[in-house]
Amino acid sequence: MDNTTIKPTEPKKDVKGELTYEDKVIQKIIGIALENVDGLLTVDGGFFSNIKDKLVNSDDVTSGISTEVGKKQVAVDMDVVVEYGKDIENIYDQMKKLISEEVDKMTHLDVIEVNVNVVDIKTREEYEEDSETVQDKVTSAAQTTGKFASKQTNRAKNAIGNQTDKISDSMESEPRVQ
């Protein structure tokens, strides 16, 4: 056997290029970072975020997060719903710290601004009740739509069946070829 050592090649020092990030990448980092902030019920807080949270196994944690991503810096805007009785300023400070740390750790971009607009405040029970209500409404709508579609499918099958019977009857009475 040959005992030659393979040396790793040195990277060229003049490799050019640029590293950029789509807004959704930064939004996703932020969304995941904020998932466990105590007192933060939801980012966005609208009907659609509840649908995503409760019904769709979606990894779309970017709902309600708006970012402006530059080559070196990031600015963040978001609407949130916080839990009643919690220290909102403390929640905001936690959010800024987490966002800044996670974005810097993963991208080395500097978060220069975090704007949070509190759009609602709810007790944990109200939030869960609202979420269930949305889920119930959507589930009910899906069931109603499913029943309607099933009924329409059956009607179409029956209509096709009737036409097939008529064709069969007419075919039996007269031979097709002589």
Side-chain angles (χ1 to χ4, degrees), residues 4-176:
T4 55
T5 307
I6 300 173
K7 292 182 182 177
T9 57
E10 292 291 317
K12 293 181 181 177
K13 305 248 190 260
D14 61 347
V15 176
K16 299 205 182 326
E18 182 177 58
L19 176 63
T20 59
Y21 300 97
E22 292 287 324
D23 281 355
K24 68 182 177 185
V25 172
I26 305 303
Q27 292 164 0
K28 197 166 190 177
I29 292 169
I30 292 167
I32 293 169
L34 296 179
E35 282 181 345
N36 297 313
V37 172
D38 183 44
L40 180 63
L41 293 176
T42 184
V43 174
D44 186 19
F47 179 77
F48 293 107
S49 73
N50 286 336
I51 288 177
K52 285 181 189 162
D53 293 344
K54 296 295 175 183
L55 294 174
V56 181
N57 291 329
S58 167
D59 63 348
D60 185 7
V61 295
T62 64
S63 176
I65 302 171
S66 174
T67 54
E68 189 177 327
V69 182
K71 292 186 186 220
K72 296 181 189 269
Q73 298 177 325
V74 175
V76 183
D77 297 307
M78 65 184 83
D79 292 338
V80 300
V81 175
V82 295
E83 187 175 349
Y84 179 81
K86 299 289 184 173
D87 182 337
I88 296 172
E89 187 131 352
N90 183 37
I91 293 168
Y92 174 59
D93 290 340
Q94 284 181 53
M95 291 171 69
K96 289 192 299 185
K97 182 177 185 283
L98 281 168
I99 290 168
S100 181
E101 286 173 358
E102 289 301 305
V103 170
D104 180 56
K105 180 172 73 176
M106 294 183 70
T107 66
H108 299 275
L109 293 173
D110 186 24
V111 177
I112 57 163
E113 194 174 287
V114 175
N115 299 303
V116 174
N117 180 34
V118 179
V119 295
D120 203 354
I121 188 164
K122 297 180 180 185
T123 64
R124 170 106 14 219
E125 293 76 26
E126 285 176 320
Y127 174 69
E128 287 171 5
E129 191 178 293
D130 289 351
S131 299
E132 287 168 15
T133 302
V134 169
Q135 185 170 0
D136 293 342
K137 285 179 182 173
V138 174
T139 300
S140 174
Q143 288 172 345
T144 302
T145 304
K147 287 177 187 171
F148 176 77
S150 180
K151 193 182 287 185
Q152 293 302 91
T153 301
N154 287 335
R155 283 184 180 167
K157 284 180 183 174
N158 289 338
I160 291 170
N162 290 341
Q163 290 302 317
T164 304
D165 290 346
K166 286 179 185 175
I167 292 170
S168 296
D169 290 346
S170 69
M171 288 175 63
E172 288 173 8
S173 59
E174 298 177 14
R176 280 181 49 174

